[in-house]
Amino acid sequence: MTKTISDLEEIARKCRVEIVKMVHRAQAGHPGGSLSEIDLLAALYATRMRVRPDEPKWGDRDRFILSKGHASPGMYSILAEMGFISHEDLKSYRVLGGVCQGHVDMKWCPGVDFSAGSLGMGLSFGMGCATAARLDGSDRRAFVMIGDGEMQEGSVWEAAMAAAHHELGNLKVILDRNRIQNDDFCEVQMRMFDIPAKWKAFGWNVKEIDGHNMTEVMEGLDFLEAPENCNGPSILIAHTIKGAGISYMENNPSFHGAAPNDEQFHQAMVELGEVDA
Amino acid sequence: MTRMAATRDGYGQALLDLAGNEKVVVLEADLGKSTKSLHFRKAYPDRTISCGIGEQNMLLVGAGMAASGYIPFASTFAIFTERAFEQMRNGVARPNLAVHLCGSHGGTHTGTDGSSAQSIEDLAIFRTLPNVVVMHPCDDVSTRVLTMQLPALGSPSYMRTARNKTPVLYDGREDEIQIGKGIVLKEGNDVAIVACGVLVSESLKAAESLKSEGIHATVVDMHTLKPIDGELIDTIVTQCGALVTAEDHNVIGGLGSAVAEHLVANTLAPLEMVGVPDRFGESGQADEMLEVMQISAHYIALAAKKAISRK
């Protein structure tokens, strides 16, 4: 069934509710980057990913690698929405023995393709998945989401150079450009200058979008899938707002890795339309 | 005349021998000529992935391929595998993806490139990673046989090979070689010398010189450091009552430590550890380095006598 823009927006809204519930329940975790990425994940999973939630290890599935693996509540919420895990499983976030480990882990959670949590690793892993797909003669793709602060890791550029050298047209990166990293704004911590130019110079196809405008998100995903962009790796630079959707978290470095208190939680549920003010 | 060969050549041959398995792929970081994966690359270019001079990326490309059903063999110099330690830790060992990493040119025996190229820590650091098998074979035959056993392992591994030629010990003895099982090369009841890599042949030399003094030594090739062959250690403790370990590696954290860890938890016996004395190397010929680092046959024999005196 084809999803409309408003269908996708509603999926993302429901995921936002779960994200805030998870970090509030755990009183720990990373809401900011989960909320900035979630519109992208909602559209990607609901309209593009060739996966089988009832057969998560299906060999010819598209791979998705959340390289910014700390933003796991976002991924868990969309995996629950898609049916890989149950909404009950979301309560296991950061709980001993839970499928929802602090950072996404392929050994613990169905639908997770890589055990991330250490920045700068996912793009290389995705390159391996894309290389394997090519050797198999398969048309499956490897989608990788990276963060903007993550680009300060040198290994990202080892992978960027290698993927372009090998013309991996089945490797698709989405950059969550939310402009905030752990300690402060990226601009303060480490300026990255002209990001699109950097990727172009490394030999990638590049497009920029507003990562919260669902129409633009869909156009961006079209770009990643377009046959003319399958001559080599492509990157969608999604301009996002850290903490998007919750007023007091938006653009606030404090909510990179902090949970809302009870009062803030209630306000978030009001803002997301879950409860009346 | 004893045949001389380098363990890295055994690795290169094993890759060719494994090529019949279409899931075997080779990953390089611009050192295929040195690690000897180049033979595979020439014969099977489609299954060889150049990662440029980028070891961190190489390890995780391997992880992605292993997660997709392939059996990746990645190699570089032992010293540069250390640069990708966290990739090995978080992206390979933690999800238990069967990437097989080979570090060639290990140890001070590497010689004239000097200390920047003489890895003396690799065995120690990879031994600390859960799920990872760690090996350091002593000749080209055992390197080839052990490498060929890796696809059946199903878990990641680190193998150190050496640049320079050493005596070949296992021609015609391929059937004796098995991952995780030490090999008794010589039997004696006074002291047991447990060695790996280039110091196995030095240990045999030491045993010969001890024999001339009426001391009879057992010599074990402990090619697998992890999992360590505890059963064999128990046997030689009972038989000899004193042990020496010998390795071209920092005396901290390598084979000596692995044997000591087993001893303290089981049957105690005097143990003398011959290894690089917690210092960096320098430029020198391979045989010169063994003297400078005090890990040659002469020093192994001295350590054997000291171990016996502590019984």
Side-chain angles (χ1 to χ4, degrees):
Chain A
M1 198 173 72
T2 311
K3 296 276 194 300
T4 64
I5 293 296
S6 60
D7 290 340
L8 297 175
E9 288 168 344
E10 174 58 12
I11 291 171
R13 187 196 67 82
K14 286 196 282 184
C15 288
R16 284 193 160 88
V17 171
E18 295 297 345
I19 290 165
V20 177
K21 283 183 177 174
M22 267 183 274
V23 293
H24 176 251
R25 201 182 289 120
Q27 278 301 296
H30 297 87
S34 294
L35 292 164
S36 64
E37 77 195 6
I38 197 59
D39 295 308
L40 298 154
L41 291 189
L44 178 69
Y45 268 91
T47 69
R48 313 290 163 144
M49 289 287 287
R50 301 171 193 152
V51 289
R52 297 174 179 169
D54 55 350
E55 192 187 348
K57 292 287 180 193
W58 172 46
D60 231 12
R61 69 189 183 282
D62 284 343
R63 267 51 169 189
F64 175 72
I65 294 121
L66 183 69
S67 191
K68 37 174 287 190
H70 58 281
S72 55
M75 184 160 184
Y76 294 140
S77 67
I78 192 66
L79 289 179
E81 188 65 28
M82 297 295 293
F84 283 95
I85 56 176
S86 71
H87 281 83
E88 191 64 23
D89 287 330
L90 298 179
K91 293 179 181 168
S92 75
Y93 175 58
R94 289 181 177 259
V95 174
L96 188 65
V99 298
C100 295
Q101 295 283 300
H103 298 165
V104 292
D105 195 310
M106 64 193 289
K107 288 293 184 196
W108 287 84
C109 187
V112 171
D113 287 320
F114 178 53
S115 301
S118 175
L119 294 176
M121 294 198 179
L123 184 51
S124 297
F125 187 89
M127 178 183 159
C129 294
T131 304
R134 175 189 280 181
L135 279 176
D136 284 342
S138 165
D139 61 1
R140 64 178 188 264
R141 295 87 50 91
F143 292 92
V144 181
M145 175 171 279
I146 64 173
D148 49 1
E150 181 177 8
M151 289 192 299
Q152 295 157 15
E153 290 281 8
S155 58
V156 168
W157 301 102
E158 286 186 10
M161 190 181 290
H165 172 77
H166 290 287
E167 299 174 354
L168 289 171
N170 54 355
L171 181 62
K172 326 274 184 190
V173 171
I174 301 171
L175 168 61
D176 181 8
R177 174 70 168 125
N178 63 31
R179 296 177 182 272
I180 293 176
Q181 53 194 94
N182 186 71
D183 276 4
D184 208 330
F185 288 91
C186 301
E187 196 65 13
V188 175
Q189 293 301 104
M190 182 59 67
R191 286 179 296 156
M192 288 175 276
F193 299 96
D194 192 338
I195 291 171
K198 279 188 165 65
W199 287 92
K200 280 178 194 155
F202 271 75
W204 286 58
N205 303 308
V206 180
K207 182 177 172 69
E208 292 181 82
I209 58 157
D210 172 348
H212 300 307
N213 178 322
M214 203 53 92
T215 303
E216 285 196 31
V217 169
M218 291 294 278
E219 287 168 4
L221 296 176
D222 287 344
F223 167 85
L224 290 181
E225 291 187 312
E228 63 269 26
N229 292 325
C230 292
N231 56 339
S234 300
I235 182 167
L236 185 62
I237 299 175
H239 294 277
T240 59
I241 297 166
K242 197 134 180 174
I246 313 295
S247 58
Y248 58 87
M249 291 191 189
E250 286 192 357
N251 223 22
N252 179 356
S254 301
F255 279 97
H256 166 84
N261 61 29
D262 290 349
E263 188 184 340
Q264 289 169 323
F265 174 73
H266 178 73
Q267 184 185 339
M269 290 301 109
V270 171
E271 291 185 15
L272 290 170
E274 280 294 282
V275 296
D276 293 330
Chain B
M1 189 68 185
T2 308
R3 183 168 74 86
M4 300 288 285
T7 51
R8 57 181 171 142
D9 288 314
Y11 176 76
Q13 182 60 48
L15 296 182
L16 282 179
D17 294 343
L18 286 168
N21 181 343
E22 291 185 353
K23 291 297 180 185
V24 169
V25 291
V26 162
L27 278 61
E28 294 185 335
D30 199 40
L31 285 171
K33 280 196 285 190
S34 302
T35 69
K36 299 302 176 187
S37 61
L38 83 162
H39 305 301
F40 185 98
R41 185 204 323 150
K42 280 180 182 161
Y44 306 96
D46 293 345
R47 279 195 275 151
T48 306
I49 295 100
S50 165
C51 295
I53 307 171
E55 298 79 12
Q56 300 175 62
N57 184 48
M58 176 172 73
L59 259 287
L60 293 170
V61 170
M65 298 193 78
S68 305
Y70 283 86
I71 306 169
F73 284 80
S75 63
T76 179
F77 284 177
I79 193 73
F80 303 138
T81 67
E82 297 178 17
R83 188 190 198 98
F85 176 73
E86 201 228 326
Q87 278 75 11
M88 188 72 169
R89 192 269 183 200
N90 262 330
V92 174
R94 194 166 58 101
N96 198 19
L97 295 168
V99 175
H100 302 296
L101 176 61
C102 175
S104 77
H105 294 54
T108 62
H109 195 256
T110 290
T112 58
D113 274 346
S115 60
S116 77
Q118 296 167 348
S119 166
I120 53 168
E121 318 79 9
D122 53 334
L123 301 172
I125 63 173
F126 290 116
R127 215 166 60 80
T128 62
L129 295 181
N131 297 329
V132 177
V133 168
V134 178
M135 294 181 290
H136 182 24
C138 70
D139 79 347
D140 67 332
V141 176
S142 54
T143 302
R144 179 177 166 209
V145 171
L146 292 167
T147 303
M148 290 182 69
Q149 291 174 7
L150 287 173
L153 197 61
S155 56
S157 68
Y158 174 75
M159 176 188 281
R160 183 210 269 192
T161 59
R163 175 186 187 275
N164 293 315
K165 293 179 178 179
T166 50
V168 176
L169 305 177
Y170 292 111
D171 269 332
R173 298 174 63 182
E174 288 83 352
D175 293 347
E176 299 173 41
I177 301 156
Q178 193 186 335
I179 294 173
K181 293 288 177 194
I183 299 169
V184 178
L185 291 169
K186 191 176 181 64
E187 282 209 68
N189 294 327
D190 297 323
V191 63
I193 305 168
V194 181
C196 61
V198 298
L199 291 201
V200 172
S201 59
E202 289 296 312
S203 297
L204 287 168
K205 275 194 249 172
E208 279 307 306
S209 99
L210 288 167
K211 193 175 163 189
S212 67
E213 298 180 51
I215 297 169
H216 300 281
T218 285
V219 176
V220 170
D221 171 12
M222 197 64 90
H223 50 71
T224 305
L225 282 78
K226 185 183 176 183
I228 193 83
D229 188 349
E231 202 176 319
L232 180 56
I233 295 173
D234 292 340
T235 302
I236 58 178
V237 166
T238 305
Q239 184 182 342
C240 303
L243 268 60
V244 174
T245 53
E247 60 196 311
D248 181 10
H249 183 277
N250 197 332
V251 75
I252 297 170
L255 177 63
S257 296
V259 171
E261 287 156 15
H262 182 82
L263 288 183
V264 294
N266 294 277
T267 311
L268 281 172
L271 169 67
E272 289 293 321
M273 296 196 274
V274 175
V276 174
D278 196 25
R279 57 156 288 193
F280 291 110
E282 59 194 273
S283 291
Q285 297 299 326
D287 53 349
E288 291 174 329
M289 290 315 299
L290 300 190
E291 295 303 325
V292 169
M293 291 298 163
Q294 303 188 345
I295 57 177
S296 66
H298 170 69
Y299 293 99
I300 296 169
L302 284 180
K305 285 188 265 191
K306 191 171 176 195
I308 291 168
S309 74
R310 290 173 54 203
K311 278 194 199 179

